[in-house]
């Protein structure tokens, strides 16, 4: 489970549920004490909501095993942990959690932390039966994204809508590092002050994936580039249709999107299957920019 801090293995994470390409140590191989410690690493690295979302994504993967009858493909403990470098208070290091619908990359250098790329999701997004009945994920990300779109005028919605055919996967999901995506959509400059405040609240759902103090620093950084930020939407706009949205600036890239059934019967795109992804564009995913600065010094 140990790799050099600059290893390319960072980039080998994948949401794909087939487990043949994983690296690291599987949670299923851990003792109860080791498992508690692995969860503790996640708990201190993530904000409270993000930790609960990550754990619920794992629990819903167990629910998916119940629904499909495929316990060799899905399950709560089919997640792999890797350590990059050596945990230190002053030297760069990090960790990665890799598995279906829960992909976390955390780079640490002193009191600085980069928590991207991070993908969280589930199919289904709510368990209506079984061991984890009532468990759910990404309800706020979905609801507040729709509410922001609803706050726009018809003319603004037309500008924000960049297509109607939903992508099967995110534009910046696994194996898509350094992808270049056009700044299409509605610019913050074309929003009212009230709409900008709603967008800021939506962005906070994603910057708050960090612990509180780091989340504030991250949101302040994003706020400095608010004038360069764009909101884009793909899909129909009504209370039940599945959709995609993204928020894009020089320092943050957010995607939320619904997918068709994959593990469950494919009845077309629907709101039962959702992903939410955050990246740091322009060179600092996996803390690469911080690592370059450290090595230059």
């Amino acid at each position: 489970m140990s790799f050099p801090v600059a290893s390319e293995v960072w980039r080998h994470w994948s949401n794909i549920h087939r487990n043949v390409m994983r690296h690291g140590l599987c949670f299923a191989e851990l003792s109860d004490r080791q498992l508690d410690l692995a969860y503790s690493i996640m708990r201190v690295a993530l904000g409270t909501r993000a930790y609960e979302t990550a754990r619920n994504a794992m629990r819903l993967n167990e629910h998916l095993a119940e629904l499909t009858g495929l316990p060799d493909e899905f399950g709560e403990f089919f997640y792999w942990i890797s350590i990059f470098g050596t945990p230190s208070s002053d030297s760069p290091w990090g960790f990665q959690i890799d598995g279906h619908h829960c992909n976390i990359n955390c780079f640490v250098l002193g009191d600085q932390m980069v928590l991207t790329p991070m993908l969280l999701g589930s199919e289904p997004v709510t368990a209506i039966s079984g061991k984890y009945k009532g468990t759910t994920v990404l309800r706020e990300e979905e609801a507040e994204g729709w509410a922001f779109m609803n706050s726009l005028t018809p003319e603004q919605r037309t500008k924000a809508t960049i297509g109607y055919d939903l992508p099967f996967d995110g534009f910046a999901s696994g194996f898509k590092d350094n992808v270049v995506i056009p700044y299409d959509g509605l610019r913050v400059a074309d929003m009212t002050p009230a709409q900008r405040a709603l967008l800021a609240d939506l962005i906070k759902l994603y910057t708050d994936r960090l612990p509180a103090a780091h989340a504030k620093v991250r949101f302040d950084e994003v706020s400095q580039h608010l004038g360069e930020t764009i909101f884009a939407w793909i899909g129909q706009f009504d209370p039940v249709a599945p959709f995609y949205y993204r928020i894009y600036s020089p320092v943050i890239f957010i995607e939320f999107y619904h997918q068709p059934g994959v593990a469950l019967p494919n009845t077309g795109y629907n709101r039962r299957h959702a992903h939410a992804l955050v990246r740091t564009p322009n060179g600092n995913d996996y803390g690469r920019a911080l690592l370059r600065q450290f090595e230059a010094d």
Side-chain angles (χ1 to χ4, degrees):
M1 64 175 293
S2 299
F3 301 91
V5 70
S7 173
E8 284 296 301
V9 174
W10 276 111
R11 301 174 66 180
H12 296 175
W13 63 272
S14 171
N15 173 63
I16 299 169
H17 74 271
R18 304 291 184 185
N19 295 320
V20 296
M21 64 175 70
R22 302 298 182 193
H23 55 271
L25 190 62
C26 185
F27 280 27
E29 301 176 74
L30 304 181
S31 68
D32 289 346
R33 172 60 177 158
Q34 291 168 336
L35 192 60
D36 285 344
L37 289 169
Y39 290 145
S40 293
I41 293 171
M42 293 171 57
R43 186 180 297 110
V44 298
L46 276 62
T48 302
R49 274 189 66 257
Y51 174 73
E52 192 60 25
T53 301
R55 288 290 290 116
N56 282 347
M58 294 174 168
R59 294 174 181 125
L60 286 164
N61 205 43
E62 182 72 23
H63 181 53
L64 192 53
E66 295 172 337
L67 294 176
T68 61
L70 298 172
D72 293 332
E73 291 189 26
F74 305 105
E76 184 177 0
F77 304 110
F78 283 159
Y79 294 89
W80 282 256
I81 183 169
S82 300
I83 302 292
F84 295 84
T86 301
S88 167
S89 61
D90 53 14
S91 296
W93 71 283
F95 74 89
Q96 180 183 80
I97 306 295
D98 184 37
H100 187 220
H101 285 143
C102 183
N103 304 101
I104 300 168
N105 292 281
C106 180
F107 175 88
V108 180
L109 177 56
D111 63 356
Q112 300 180 89
M113 184 165 66
V114 177
L115 199 60
T116 61
M118 184 193 295
L119 184 150
L120 299 173
S122 187
E123 180 191 15
V125 293
T126 301
I128 60 174
S129 63
K131 179 180 179 180
Y132 291 119
K133 182 179 179 180
T135 299
T136 189
V137 295
L138 302 182
R139 303 298 77 222
E140 287 182 88
E141 289 84 349
E142 177 184 282
E144 291 198 22
W146 192 93
F148 175 75
M149 186 67 167
N150 192 49
S151 77
L152 303 179
T153 66
E155 293 77 16
Q156 288 174 314
R157 282 200 291 269
T158 297
K159 180 66 175 177
T161 302
I162 61 173
Y164 293 94
D165 295 330
L166 295 180
F168 176 76
D169 197 7
F171 289 88
S173 58
F175 304 112
K176 297 177 183 177
D177 292 336
N178 304 317
V179 63
V180 177
I181 297 172
Y183 277 93
D184 293 334
L186 180 68
R187 295 180 177 273
V188 167
D190 297 324
M191 300 176 190
T192 67
Q195 290 166 343
R196 293 173 193 171
L198 285 175
L199 184 65
D201 288 341
L202 179 57
I203 291 170
K204 282 182 180 178
L205 290 179
Y206 297 92
T207 56
D208 283 355
R209 289 184 172 187
L210 287 152
H214 289 88
K216 182 182 184 305
V217 172
R218 182 71 169 122
F219 181 74
D220 288 346
E221 178 188 30
V222 173
S223 297
Q224 291 172 12
H225 294 270
L226 202 60
E228 304 164 83
T229 302
I230 288 184
F231 176 85
W233 179 279
I234 300 176
Q236 301 296 326
F237 177 68
D238 62 54
V240 296
F243 57 82
Y244 165 105
Y245 70 78
R246 72 169 171 250
I247 301 165
Y248 194 8
S249 87
V251 295
I252 196 166
F253 184 90
I254 296 166
E255 290 187 295
F256 175 94
Y257 51 99
H258 296 114
Q259 289 190 299
V262 176
L264 299 178
N266 186 350
T267 54
Y269 287 85
N270 62 84
R271 292 193 181 187
R272 294 184 66 206
H273 188 180
H275 291 183
L277 170 77
V278 184
R279 280 187 179 268
T280 307
N282 295 312
N284 206 27
D285 269 343
Y286 316 103
R288 293 289 190 176
L290 285 180
L291 182 59
R292 285 193 296 272
Q293 291 172 16
F294 176 82
E295 292 173 338
D297 293 341

